[in-house]
Each structure stands twice: as structure tokens, then as C-alpha cells.
Amino acid sequence: IFYLLPTLFLGRGIILIASAISFVSIAIIRFIFLNIVDKNVLKKRVLVYGAGKMAATIDELRRSHEQQNFYIAGFLHVPGEHDIVESHKVIRLKIPLSKYAEEEEIEEVVIAMNDRRKNFPVDELLDCRLSGITIIEPTTFLERETGKLNLDMLNPSWMIFSEGFDQGTLRAYTERVFDILTCLCLLILTSPIMLVTLVAILWEDRGKGPVLYKQVRVGQYDRHFELLKFRSMCVDAEKDGQARWASAGDDRVTWVGSIIRKYRIDELPQIINILRGDMSLVGPRPERPEFVEKLARKIPYYKERHRVKPGLTGWAQLKYSYGANEKDARVKLEYDMFYVKNHSLLFDMMILLQTAEVVLWKKGAH
């Protein structure tokens, strides 16, 4: 108002009045949206073409996510396919698909047919698409809504034709510059903490054991490198020579080790790995060669996570709890594949900000 009418006199009391009006207005608006307005009004209306196994995966997503960005109007029955979705959710059309979509204000159709070789509705879907309705693959839909790639639906043809998986020279150069500058700042800021940690480890073991722990890990393009960490376990943690996953409440962890693991201090020496070029700040967590070979035999596309450099933190670490078995490794791979497909400098910065929040609030630490 002041800029529109510069001659208008606005005294200091206007701040108090504006604050009071804002408080009351926001309270009223929140009450209306939380208690009166239909929560599905602002969500994208989605129609799933199919009611079989693939469609059931989308239905499970709808039930498991409390704040999803979409509303499923229904699941269309496909002639010749067995319906798995609950019968009251299944729609058997008696009018053209485009007309039904217009009547129900459908914005997006997810193609979740079990077999597209039979009864694929080319004309109907083309009519919908030319009417402005988005037609989308279930893999792409789940990727967008969950932040991961569903391995059960993933196939080579989708990966070939989908966007993403960029590995340009500019991307590699900007990532490297960002890593070096950020790590130099981190090295300066965390050097007092690392010095105290070094003294604490020496004090606990009376100077008998090593301070740093070196372990061979698999990096980009399956290259091996030595990962550096502050030693958080006893010296003979793997005296039998058998590689084992660390787990919650692991009895091999020392007293000092439990503290530095809780606050992620044991990871700080990996700054050296990043400066060397073995790792990046953000990326999939580097695994041991023994685990990689074992998991690659059982989990499809497992080695594709090595298309990018491993990271000090990553999308999978943020989105999934600490993994210590093959089932966890499979879920984390789905998040890692999402990162490999969509990684960018902006995405990296978002992950770093969320990691800082996790460390400060001590969430997800083992």
C-alpha cells in the first residue's frame, strides 16, 4: 500500500496491527484447510489403467503414504487380466476412456497393465493424451512419488529411453570443484574435533592400537580404494577373517567408538578420500568387495550404483535406516539408483543440508 500510495501516512503501530491480522488470518485459513476443505482438492487426480499385480503396488503406495501428492480416482479393469486390487476400487468402463477422464477431471493416467502385448488401448490413450491428459509409465510414476526406482518394475528399455543418467564433463568438473572447496572448509572446521577424537582413541587403547582404520571399498567403475575412518571397533573385530556387516548394538564397538559413531565423527577422515578423488561428498555408500560380489549375484542392477563416485553421505542414507542384510541392501539400492539417475549439483546440496539436519538431531545414527 505504501508503494502504491506513497503520500499515505503509516505509523509504527502498523506493524502491530499487521501482525495481529496475519496471526488471525493464518489461524482461520489453517482451520478451514485442515477441517473443512477436502484434502484431495489440491492433489493430482490419477487414474490407474489396470487392477492387477502392478496396479496393486501403486495401491500399496497410496495406503502407506500419509501425505502423497496424488489422489487415485480408481483402477480400470483390463479384459483378460485377473484383478488383485479390492473390488470396490475397480472401475469397469461403459463409456469411452476420454469421456470418463473428462467427467472425473482426471489429470494423469498410469499404465499398469500386466501384459501390454494384448488389448493395449492405443486409440483411447492417444485420445486422452491429445486432450491434455498425461500418460505415464508406472516406473516413472513410482520414481516421482517415492524418490526411488522400483527394482521389480525396472527394465533395460525404460532405462534406455528415460531421461537422466547424465555423466557429462561439465557435471564431473563442477562436482569436483564443489567437493574440494567444501572439504577444505570442513577440514578447517572439524580439525579440533578430529584432534580430540585422536587423543580419545589413543587414551582408550593406551596407545596400543591404530587410530585410523583402513578398509578396501569399491568405488566408481568398480575401482578399489582404501577407505579411511577413525577406528570405532576393537582391534581384532574380524580376527576370524570373515567380513561382517556392522549392526545396531554391535559388541565389537568400543566406548569411544559408540560416541563417534553416534555423531558420525568416525566418518571425518573420509575427507582425505574425497580430496584424493576416491569419493565425493554425496553418492552411494561404498561397500566392501566381498559384499558387492555377493549382492551383485542376488540383486539386479546392483553394480550400476558404481556409475558415480561413492559418497560420504547419500540419498539412500537419508531415506532408509541403517542396512545390515540383503533385504536392506535391495531397498537402499532403489534409492541409490534414483540418485544415479537424477544426480546434480542442486540435488547434492539438498542432500547435504538434510544430512546436516540428521547429524544435528542425531537421527538415524548407528
Side-chain angles (χ1 to χ4, degrees):
I1 293 173
F2 174 77
Y3 281 101
L4 291 173
L5 304 170
T7 57
L8 183 66
F9 175 76
L10 297 176
R12 288 178 296 179
I14 195 65
I15 297 176
L16 182 62
I17 295 171
S19 300
I21 293 173
S22 298
F23 179 83
V24 173
S25 301
I26 292 172
I28 293 171
I29 291 169
R30 285 182 65 83
F31 177 81
I32 291 171
F33 270 89
L34 294 175
N35 298 281
I36 300 175
V37 176
D38 183 0
K39 293 179 175 60
N40 294 320
V41 168
L42 300 179
K43 294 179 181 179
K44 181 177 290 187
R45 291 181 63 83
V46 174
L47 181 67
V48 180
Y49 200 99
K53 183 179 179 181
M54 196 174 291
T57 304
I58 299 173
D59 189 36
E60 289 174 10
L61 171 68
R62 181 192 62 81
R63 286 181 289 160
S64 62
H65 283 60
E66 295 181 357
Q67 297 181 347
Q68 68 269 26
N69 300 315
F70 61 93
Y71 169 74
I72 295 182
F75 297 83
L76 288 184
H77 170 73
V78 177
E81 287 192 4
H82 174 66
D83 296 342
I84 296 179
V85 177
E86 296 172 8
S87 58
H88 69 275
K89 300 176 184 176
V90 178
I91 300 169
R92 296 176 182 271
L93 283 184
K94 296 181 180 180
I95 59 175
L97 176 59
S98 59
K99 185 177 181 181
Y100 177 83
E102 182 182 356
E103 291 177 357
E104 296 296 322
E105 298 180 343
I106 301 300
E107 299 173 69
E108 193 168 74
V109 176
V110 182
I111 306 302
M113 299 174 65
N114 292 333
D115 189 356
R116 297 186 191 178
R117 292 171 297 181
K118 298 181 295 182
N119 301 322
F120 190 75
V122 177
D123 294 335
E124 290 183 89
L125 292 176
L126 182 60
D127 193 12
C128 288
R129 184 69 190 95
L130 295 178
S131 299
I133 299 170
T134 303
I135 311 297
I136 189 171
E137 292 263 6
T139 309
T140 305
F141 177 79
L142 291 172
E143 175 196 7
R144 185 188 69 201
E145 299 299 333
T146 65
K148 62 181 181 179
L149 298 186
N150 189 301
L151 291 181
D152 294 327
M153 295 185 181
L154 205 58
N155 58 71
S157 62
W158 181 85
M159 295 170 71
I160 290 170
F161 291 107
S162 64
E163 296 181 357
F165 300 107
D166 297 327
Q167 297 285 350
T169 305
L170 181 61
R171 158 66 186 163
Y173 177 77
T174 53
E175 179 186 50
R176 185 64 183 143
V177 171
F178 179 73
D179 284 344
I180 291 173
L181 293 177
T182 307
C183 281
L184 289 175
C185 294
L186 279 175
L187 200 59
I188 295 170
L189 292 172
T190 60
S191 55
I193 300 172
M194 289 196 280
L195 182 60
V196 171
T197 303
L198 184 149
V199 172
I201 294 172
L202 289 174
W203 169 80
E204 185 178 35
D205 284 344
R206 298 178 182 177
K208 295 180 180 178
V211 175
L212 291 178
Y213 178 65
K214 298 179 181 180
Q215 194 176 68
V216 177
R217 297 290 178 100
V218 180
Q220 189 177 26
Y221 307 129
D222 294 325
R223 295 171 187 153
H224 292 188
F225 69 96
E226 276 195 338
L227 183 83
L228 301 176
K229 295 178 72 173
F230 280 123
R231 184 171 58 83
S232 60
M233 293 187 177
C234 54
V235 178
D236 56 351
E238 291 182 351
K239 57 184 177 181
D240 57 356
Q242 185 68 32
R244 286 187 290 166
W245 266 305
S247 59
D250 202 316
D251 58 3
R252 298 173 296 168
V253 178
T254 64
W255 179 75
V256 172
S258 64
I259 297 174
I260 63 176
R261 285 167 74 91
K262 182 178 181 180
Y263 293 94
R264 312 286 177 96
I265 297 171
D266 62 319
E267 311 278 0
L268 289 177
Q270 290 169 44
I271 293 174
I272 305 300
N273 286 120
I274 297 172
L275 291 174
R276 286 177 179 173
D278 299 325
M279 295 175 60
S280 182
L281 275 168
V282 180
R285 195 79 190 108
E287 287 291 355
R288 300 172 67 173
E290 300 91 335
F291 295 148
V292 169
E293 292 302 321
K294 181 180 178 181
L295 294 170
R297 288 194 295 268
K298 298 183 178 181
I299 305 176
Y301 306 108
Y302 189 80
K303 287 196 173 183
E304 301 309 321
R305 68 198 296 274
H306 301 143
R307 296 287 180 171
V308 297
K309 285 184 180 180
L312 181 62
T313 185
W315 186 236
Q317 290 94 297
L318 285 176
K319 302 296 288 185
Y320 195 73
S321 59
Y322 193 87
N325 53 53
E326 291 175 14
K327 181 182 177 182
D328 292 337
R330 183 184 178 89
V331 178
K332 294 191 80 170
L333 175 62
E334 293 182 330
Y335 286 108
D336 283 334
M337 288 296 290
F338 178 87
Y339 175 78
V340 172
K341 181 177 182 292
N342 299 288
H343 71 286
S344 66
L345 186 59
L346 188 62
F347 192 18
D348 287 354
M349 292 174 71
M350 187 197 76
I351 291 172
L352 287 172
L353 286 172
Q354 291 190 30
T355 301
E357 180 190 8
V358 168
V359 172
L360 289 174
W361 291 97
K362 302 188 283 284
K363 296 186 296 183
H366 277 263

